[in-house]
Amino acid sequence: MAGDRRHRNPCPSPGRRGQGKKGGVQAQALGRSRGGFGTKIHAVVDALGLPVRFMLGPGQQNDMAPACDLIRGLKAEHVLADRAYDADSLCDLITEQGGEPVIPPRRHRKVQRSYDRIAYKQRWGIEGFFAKLKQWRRIATRHDKLAANFLGFIKLASIMLWLK
């Protein structure tokens, strides 16, 4: 049976054929959420609303999951975020880096910590960044299948925002 083509080049079973070089579902950064099947863009912006760092995650991923990795190594006097980022680990990291967390506490916290309400009003920067980012149709509708390509266009749009 030396000439049998089935045994000359063994390939993966039919169930493994779709998980080749491109990586399958992990390479697409897609996941189910309440809004449907999509991707979350996690971002850090400066005081002017210009992007500093960002990463992609599946739609069902919690907002807090990549937060510590995003701000690690960044020095800031104030770090503004909404209630979804109210976690002791994030606040401790911000304090270790010499900043002040301006994050309103969630309602179910036993100890409600204080925050600067006036500084919190400057959170428009991140909201404005996402509004500007969604003006790019390719990003707003996620035309790219692979996360690397999608992230590349997010980087391109961010460069255009920095150049304006």
Side-chain angles (χ1 to χ4, degrees):
M1 294 278 239
D4 188 14
R5 77 176 172 89
R6 286 190 315 174
H7 300 291
R8 190 176 331 143
N9 295 323
C11 65
S13 64
R16 294 260 316 150
R17 285 188 187 145
Q19 298 177 358
K21 275 191 212 175
K22 294 187 178 178
V25 177
Q26 287 79 20
Q28 296 177 14
L30 290 171
R32 294 241 177 246
S33 66
R34 269 195 248 170
F37 203 59
T39 302
K40 278 191 179 178
I41 303 169
H42 304 279
V44 176
V45 298
D46 63 1
L48 299 174
L50 297 172
V52 177
R53 287 186 185 165
F54 37 79
M55 65 173 50
L56 295 178
Q60 76 270 13
Q61 186 180 36
N62 185 353
D63 289 340
M64 186 55 211
C68 289
D69 293 334
L70 277 174
I71 67 160
R72 189 166 281 121
L74 291 177
K75 302 254 186 238
E77 195 173 318
H78 298 284
V79 176
L80 285 70
D82 61 1
R83 290 182 199 276
Y85 296 95
D86 178 34
D88 292 333
S89 60
L90 182 64
C91 292
D92 292 342
L93 180 64
I94 293 168
T95 312
E96 284 174 19
Q97 293 180 355
E100 178 189 344
V102 183
I103 303 171
R106 288 179 280 171
R107 290 185 180 92
H108 65 75
R109 268 192 173 267
K110 289 181 182 175
V111 178
Q112 296 284 318
R113 67 181 153 68
S114 62
Y115 68 99
D116 188 358
R117 293 177 190 269
I118 295 170
Y120 183 70
K121 291 179 181 179
Q122 296 300 315
R123 208 175 62 86
W124 61 267
I126 189 73
E127 303 295 338
F129 166 67
F130 281 114
K132 290 173 191 170
L133 196 63
K134 297 234 171 152
Q135 289 178 358
W136 294 73
R137 183 171 177 249
R138 184 174 194 132
I139 295 171
T141 57
R142 174 79 196 254
H143 282 277
D144 300 299
K145 182 174 182 174
L146 295 179
N149 296 345
F150 184 58
L151 190 60
F153 277 98
I154 292 172
K155 289 178 182 178
L156 181 66
S158 298
I159 290 169
M160 295 299 289
L161 291 175
W162 271 94
L163 292 176
K164 278 188 177 181

